[in-house]
Amino acid sequence: DTGVSQDPRHKITKRGQNVTFRCDPISEHNRLYWYRQTLGQGPEFLTYFQNEAQLEKSRLLSDRFSAERPKGSFSTLEIQRTEQGDSAMYLCASSFERHTTLNTEAFFGQGTRLTVV
Amino acid sequence: AQKVTQAQTEISVVEKEDVTLDCVYETRDTTYYLFWYKQPPSGELVFLIRRNSFDEQNEISGRYSWNFQKSTSSFNFTITASQVVDSAVYFCALSEADTGFQKLVFGTGTRLLVSP
């Protein structure tokens, strides 16, 4: 098991372009989370999936953001018409939850650092 | 509303000193989890500990120890005999039953610098 894998590690894009990030969770982890972390701040929750279903989205996730997790395996996060304010580290995490009321630790990937110029 | 406060932005110590990182949380929920994560320069968040709201026993793991006090809504983290490899940003986080434990609310982190 290689842990949570994110690709790319770094992305520089011009304002207005679309970008897509990929996250491969730990095998058989049924929950997958996306967080965003700006410089000097803690990670902020964006959205999460239980298997292939996207069950919650933060207000931080504007209409330009879309996330998918086809077949409950890897996930993609797409940002359309990027803005300079989108520059941040995008972190993916996964966990295995056997019960809805149990919260085990989430394992994080190394993140994708996005710079919008 | 839930909130996690880490008032210490940066702490500098010399190797072998003990250091305590403070964490104060706010929640209206009676069932919640508290976490500590370490973020080294590589960027990956490394899980250190999870504690549920019904377990106030302090915990020790090697050089790490945690002091959970519901009376003061604090979950402080102490590193004994610090080492250079402990240099990182440390985050305290909260997860609540009200939100189905679906997300972590993080503090702003404390950067720990351990010099030789």
Side-chain angles (χ1 to χ4, degrees), chain A residues 31 35 37 48 101 103 106, chain B residues 37 39 50 95 101-102 104:
Chain A
R31 282 199 190 166
Y35 285 80
Q37 185 178 18
Y48 98 97
T101 56
N103 182 215
Chain B
Y37 279 87
Q39 189 174 42
R50 177 192 63 174
S95 174
F101 303 111
Q102 311 305 2
L104 295 167

Side-chain angles (χ1 to χ4, degrees), chain A residues 31-64:
Chain A
R31 282 199 190 166
L32 186 147
Y33 312 80
W34 285 99
Y35 285 80
R36 181 173 70 185
Q37 185 178 18
T38 53
L39 206 58
Q41 300 297 313
E44 297 173 292
F45 172 82
L46 291 179
T47 187
Y48 98 97
F49 293 83
Q50 178 90 16
N51 299 311
E52 67 276 7
Q54 187 175 17
L55 296 185
E56 185 176 345
K57 292 197 294 186
S58 161
R59 287 169 293 180
L60 293 174
L61 218 62
S62 75
D63 292 344
R64 298 183 296 105

Side-chain angles (χ1 to χ4, degrees), chain A residues 9 31 33 35 37 40-43 45 48 56 89 91 100-106 108-110, chain B residues 33 35 37 39 42-47 50 91 95 99-109:
Chain A
R9 293 291 311 281
R31 282 199 190 166
Y33 312 80
Y35 285 80
Q37 185 178 18
Q41 300 297 313
F45 172 82
Y48 98 97
E56 185 176 345
M89 174 81 87
L91 294 163
T100 56
T101 56
L102 180 65
N103 182 215
T104 62
E105 64 268 24
F108 283 80
Q110 291 184 299
Chain B
Y33 286 92
F35 300 77
Y37 279 87
Q39 189 174 42
S42 60
E44 181 178 350
L45 282 162
V46 178
F47 168 82
R50 177 192 63 174
F91 291 97
S95 174
T99 59
F101 303 111
Q102 311 305 2
K103 61 183 180 182
L104 295 167
V105 175
F106 286 86
T108 51

Side-chain angles (χ1 to χ4, degrees), chain A residues 2-3 13 20 29 43 48 55 62 69 74 76 85 91 107 110 113:
Chain A
T2 57
T13 190
T20 300
H29 274 193
Y48 98 97
L55 296 185
S62 75
R69 193 184 181 196
F74 71 93
T76 58
L91 294 163
F107 293 86
Q110 291 184 299
R113 183 170 295 285

Side-chain angles (χ1 to χ4, degrees), chain B residues 17-114:
Chain B
E17 283 185 22
D18 299 346
V19 58
T20 295
L21 310 181
D22 297 334
C23 173
V24 174
Y25 63 92
E26 294 176 32
T27 177
R28 280 180 276 190
D29 210 333
T30 56
T31 305
Y32 52 89
Y33 286 92
L34 294 164
F35 300 77
W36 276 95
Y37 279 87
K38 174 182 180 180
Q39 189 174 42
S42 60
E44 181 178 350
L45 282 162
V46 178
F47 168 82
L48 296 177
I49 189 172
R50 177 192 63 174
R51 176 52 51 88
N52 76 56
S53 52
F54 300 109
D55 182 3
E56 287 192 72
Q57 277 193 334
N58 291 332
E59 182 158 339
I60 298 175
S61 176
R63 297 184 298 107
Y64 295 169
S65 62
W66 291 270
N67 183 353
F68 177 27
Q69 292 198 341
K70 285 178 78 169
S71 60
T72 56
S73 297
S74 65
F75 186 44
N76 296 338
F77 172 33
T78 297
I79 302 175
T80 303
S82 59
Q83 300 176 0
V84 173
V85 293
D86 295 327
S87 296
V89 181
Y90 291 86
F91 291 97
C92 181
L94 167 71
S95 174
E96 297 174 313
D98 268 358
T99 59
F101 303 111
Q102 311 305 2
K103 61 183 180 182
L104 295 167
V105 175
F106 286 86
T108 51
T110 296
R111 180 177 299 278
L112 175 64
L113 299 171
V114 183

